Each structure stands twice: as structure tokens, then as C-alpha cells.
């Protein structure tokens, strides 16, 4: 290997976070340790003179291990990498193969020593990782294809499995992508009725996409506000917008406020809090029912009746089991 190839090899290994030993490199390249030291000195000079390009990276020598290692500003720290990996594992949204590939790529942006520590921290969780079921061949590829269609504003036709597993075909104008509760969702409107309210599709249930030449204009009706939507919608279920009031007597009212960003406390009776929230969709019923006897809906009257009917159905189901 000539000098130029040696230097490029050293730079690439340093950028991957490897710790380089002069003795080991000399044996590998078939040159003297003095030659390798001179090559590493040139790498060090490059990082010093080209800080703007190299992101203030420095080549440091570890006296304990007798190795050289690159210490750039843009490497992820142990804390940052641990946070990202835990978030990825917790979503369960990716297949095992896609998750492993992404984790391996992310680990390249930290040091070799940190990499070993991180692998030990997530080893058990990664081995027992269980992804959610996907109908599409590759979630990553489907997501990117949909994202490109949103960017180009082109109409698409999708083949889609509904919740009851029946298959439908829909021609739509894709508007946005959101992630919630293990799944990525496509927000869209029907191409033949762009004035209607947005509809939601789980992207992992899309198993076919046809891109059309027709494009749609980004009219005010087709401008989707992801932030406002996320504040008011629970579990990505469609439904009407309304202001609700309910009483909460559970141990942590803060958990309710975290779950419902629009919620605010409007009253308190001992340990019982009265809250109001602007919500959108029927997912709010699922959330409130999950709180059991800690919650009592107070308003509006129609929502109180909806909750009462749902609770009656639950009671009837348990009565049938008892019989």
C-alpha cells in the first residue's frame, strides 16, 4: 500500500471511531513504526489546519492503551446515543433487520470505547426486540416513497388493509406523515373530494403505491398543521372536534396533563381535579376509559352519554361472562 492509500485508510478508520495502534498498523502495512507515526502526524496536522472542514476534530493519544483516537465535536456522546437507541427500541416500528442496520450505522458516530459500553447496555433489549406486524415489504422504503410524493405533491393510489383486514384501493392527495403509538401514519384527503376532512392511513398497512402524473395545489384546505393536530388528537382516531370537561381523582394529574397537551385544571375539590381540554377524534374515549374509576366525564352532555353507553356495553360483556 502506497503512502496516499495508507493516509486515506487512516483517515477513514479515525472517522469511524477506531483506536489506532502504531505497532499494529506497522505490521499490517509492512512498514516501520516511524513511517506510521509520520502518517498519523500528517493526519493530526490536517485536523488542526482544517478545523472548519473537520468540525474541530482533534487526534488524541491515549497513554493507557497506547492508541490514537479522533475526538470530533460532532460525534454523539454516550448519553446522546443511549437516548436515541432507547427511543428506537421503544417504538417497535422497525423490522429486526432495519433496526439492526440503523443501530450499527448510528454506533459509527461514537467512539470505539463508548460503542462497547452501549452494546452492553442495549444487548438484552435488542435480542428480545419484537417489532409490530407490517404488511408492506419495507417500512423504510414505503415511508420514503410517500415522503417524496408529499414533497412533489403528486396524487397516489394505494392498496391498503383496513382494521378488519379487508383490502381497499384509494386515490389520495398525501399531506403529511406522523408517528404515534408504534405506527407511522399518512395524513391525506381523497383526490376526488379535496374539500373533505383529512383521513388517516397506517403506512405499514400500505402494500402497494402507484404514483400519478397529476399534482395537487397546496390550497388553504390542504395545509395540514401537524403540531396543532398532535396536541388535540389521541391514538390517531378520526372524529369531531370538541371541548370536554372531566373530573380526575387518580394519583398523578400531571400524567393526564402530559397526555393531553390542551388540558388545563379549572377546579379542584380535595384530591379531585376538574379539567378541560380541546380534543379531536374518538381516541379521547379510549384514553379516558383506560383511567377506570379515576375519571368521570362532566361535559358536554352528548359526550357524557357516549361514555355511559360504552360503559354499559362493557358491563354487559362482563355480565355475559359471569352467566
Amino acid at each position: 500500500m502506497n503512502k496516499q492509500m495508507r493516509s486515506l485508510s487512516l483517515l477513514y478508520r479515525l472517522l469511524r471511531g477506531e483506536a489506532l495502534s502504531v505497532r499494529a498498523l506497522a505490521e499490517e502495512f509492512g512498514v516501520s513504526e516511524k513511517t506510521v507515526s509520520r502518517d498519523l502526524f500528517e493526519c493530526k496536522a490536517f485536523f488542526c489546519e482544517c478545523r472548519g472542514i473537520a468540525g474541530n476534530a482533534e487526534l488524541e493519544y491515549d497513554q493507557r492503551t497506547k492508541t490514537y483516537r479522533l475526538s470530533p465535536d460532532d460525534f454523539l456522546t454516550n448519553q446522546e446515543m443511549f437516548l436515541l437507541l432507547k427511543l428506537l427500541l421503544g417504538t417497535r416500528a422497525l423490522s429486526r433487520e432495519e433496526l439492526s442496520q440503523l443501530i450499527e450505522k448510528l454506533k459509527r458516530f461514537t467512539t470505539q470505547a463508548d460503542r462497547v459500553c452501549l452494546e452492553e447496555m442495549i444487548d438484552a433489549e435488542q435480542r428480545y426486540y419484537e417489532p409490530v406486524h407490517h404488511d408492506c415489504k419495507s417500512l423504510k422504503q414505503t415511508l420514503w416513497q410517500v415522503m417524496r410524493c408529499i414533497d412533489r405533491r403528486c396524487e397516489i393510489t394505494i392498496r391498503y388493509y383496513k382494521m378488519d383486514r379487508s383490502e381497499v384501493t384509494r386515490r389520495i392527495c398525501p399531506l403529511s406523515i406522523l408517528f404515534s403509538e408504534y405506527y407511522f401514519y399518512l395524513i391525506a384527503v381523497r383526490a376526488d373530494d379535496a374539500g373533505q376532512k383529512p383521513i388517516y392511513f397506517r403506512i405499514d398497512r400500505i402494500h402497494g403505491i402507484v404514483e400519478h402524473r397529476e399534482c395537487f395545489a397546496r390550497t388553504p384546505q390542504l395545509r395540514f398543521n401537524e403540531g396543532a393536530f398532535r396536541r388535540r388528537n389521541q391514538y390517531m382516531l378520526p372524529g369531531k372536534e370538541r371541548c370536554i370537561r372531566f373530573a380526575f381523582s387518580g394519583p398523578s394529574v400531571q400524567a393526564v396533563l402530559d397526555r393531553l397537551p390542551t388540558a388545563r385544571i379549572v377546579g379542584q375539590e380535595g384530591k379531585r381535579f376538574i379539567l378541560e381540554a380541546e380534543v379531536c377524534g374518538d381516541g379521547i374515549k379510549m384514553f379516558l376509559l383506560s383511567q377506570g374509576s379515576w375519571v368521570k366525564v362532566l361535559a358536554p352532555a352528548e359526550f357524557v352519554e357516549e361514555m355511559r353507553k360504552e360503559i354499559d356495553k362493557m358491563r354487559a360483556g362482563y355480565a355475559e361472562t359471569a352467566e
Side-chain angles (χ1 to χ4, degrees):
M1 185 178 290
N2 60 33
K3 175 178 172 52
Q4 184 181 29
M5 294 300 291
R6 280 200 318 271
S7 297
L8 290 173
S9 175
L10 293 176
L11 280 171
Y12 180 71
R13 294 182 184 190
L14 289 168
L15 290 170
R16 283 174 58 90
E18 293 184 24
L20 304 183
S21 162
V22 172
R23 178 176 297 178
L25 289 170
E27 292 179 1
E28 178 185 342
F29 294 145
V31 295
S32 67
E33 293 184 18
K34 185 175 182 180
T35 297
V36 173
S37 296
R38 187 164 54 247
D39 291 340
L40 286 170
F41 179 79
E42 291 177 355
C43 290
K44 184 178 179 69
F46 167 77
F47 289 118
C48 287
E49 295 175 10
C50 303
R51 291 187 177 276
I53 299 174
N56 294 321
E58 292 186 8
L59 189 60
E60 299 178 346
Y61 183 70
D62 187 332
Q63 188 66 43
R64 182 178 60 84
T65 61
K66 297 187 180 342
T67 58
Y68 288 90
R69 180 181 288 115
L70 190 63
S71 177
D73 285 350
D74 56 0
F75 266 24
L76 293 168
T77 65
N78 245 2
Q79 300 96 319
E80 292 167 339
M81 182 61 73
F82 182 70
L83 175 65
L84 287 174
L85 295 181
K86 280 292 185 179
L87 287 172
L88 280 173
L89 288 162
T91 64
R92 295 179 56 206
L94 301 175
S95 68
R96 280 181 172 274
E97 182 181 359
E98 289 175 330
L99 177 73
S100 297
Q101 291 174 352
L102 189 53
I103 286 177
E104 288 305 311
K105 288 181 179 180
L106 281 173
K107 286 191 298 189
R108 295 175 187 172
F109 289 91
T110 188
T111 65
Q112 188 72 30
D114 288 349
R115 205 170 299 165
V116 175
C117 178
L118 286 166
E119 287 171 350
E120 293 175 354
M121 289 180 180
I122 67 169
D123 176 64
E125 193 170 0
Q126 188 171 0
R127 277 191 290 116
Y128 292 99
Y129 175 79
E130 193 64 39
V132 295
H133 173 75
H134 293 161
D135 291 308
C136 59
K137 291 182 179 180
S138 169
L139 179 64
K140 179 175 62 176
Q141 292 177 5
T142 305
L143 270 171
W144 186 242
Q145 184 178 4
V146 171
M147 191 66 246
R148 288 176 61 250
C149 293
I150 291 173
D151 183 57
R152 300 201 311 266
R153 303 177 190 175
C154 73
E155 295 182 10
I156 59 176
T157 293
I158 61 172
R159 295 201 311 276
Y160 183 77
Y161 286 116
K162 298 171 67 175
M163 281 193 290
D164 61 4
R165 303 305 295 166
S166 61
E167 184 179 355
V168 296
T169 301
R170 295 281 187 267
R171 181 158 177 162
I172 57 175
C173 302
L175 303 180
S176 182
I177 293 175
L178 291 176
F179 179 83
S180 177
E181 310 292 340
Y182 307 124
Y183 307 111
F184 287 93
Y185 290 86
L186 167 61
I187 313 300
V189 295
R190 294 178 67 100
D192 58 356
D193 187 8
Q196 71 174 14
K197 290 186 177 180
I199 47 181
Y200 323 142
F201 301 94
R202 256 178 50 185
I203 290 181
D204 59 285
R205 288 184 183 159
I206 298 174
H207 61 99
I209 300 176
V210 175
E211 301 179 22
H212 300 289
R213 293 181 179 179
E214 291 82 0
C215 295
F216 59 92
R218 192 64 60 86
T219 61
Q221 292 83 1
L222 295 183
R223 293 187 183 279
F224 185 77
N225 189 323
E226 292 90 345
F229 175 82
R230 191 180 288 279
R231 282 170 54 84
R232 295 177 297 163
N233 188 280
Q234 304 298 313
Y235 301 113
M236 295 299 294
L237 289 176
K240 65 174 106 175
E241 298 181 9
R242 53 189 162 190
C243 178
I244 65 169
R245 177 179 289 220
F246 61 95
F248 179 77
S249 56
S252 176
V253 70
Q254 185 58 52
V256 177
L257 294 171
D258 290 340
R259 182 72 200 195
L260 306 175
T262 63
R264 60 190 180 92
I265 299 173
V266 295
Q268 184 175 357
E269 303 166 358
K271 294 183 178 181
R272 186 171 182 256
F273 294 90
I274 309 300
L275 298 97
E276 284 187 355
E278 297 285 341
V279 297
C280 175
D282 293 333
I284 187 62
K285 286 195 291 187
M286 291 177 59
F287 171 69
L288 294 178
L289 287 168
S290 73
Q291 302 304 302
S293 60
W294 291 340
V295 162
K296 179 181 179 181
V297 175
L298 305 176
E302 62 175 22
F303 189 44
V304 174
E305 186 60 24
E306 287 178 30
M307 293 290 288
R308 183 180 291 116
K309 287 181 178 179
E310 195 67 35
I311 293 169
D312 287 342
K313 289 179 184 177
M314 294 169 63
R315 187 182 294 112
Y318 281 104
E320 291 173 4
T321 303
E323 292 173 2

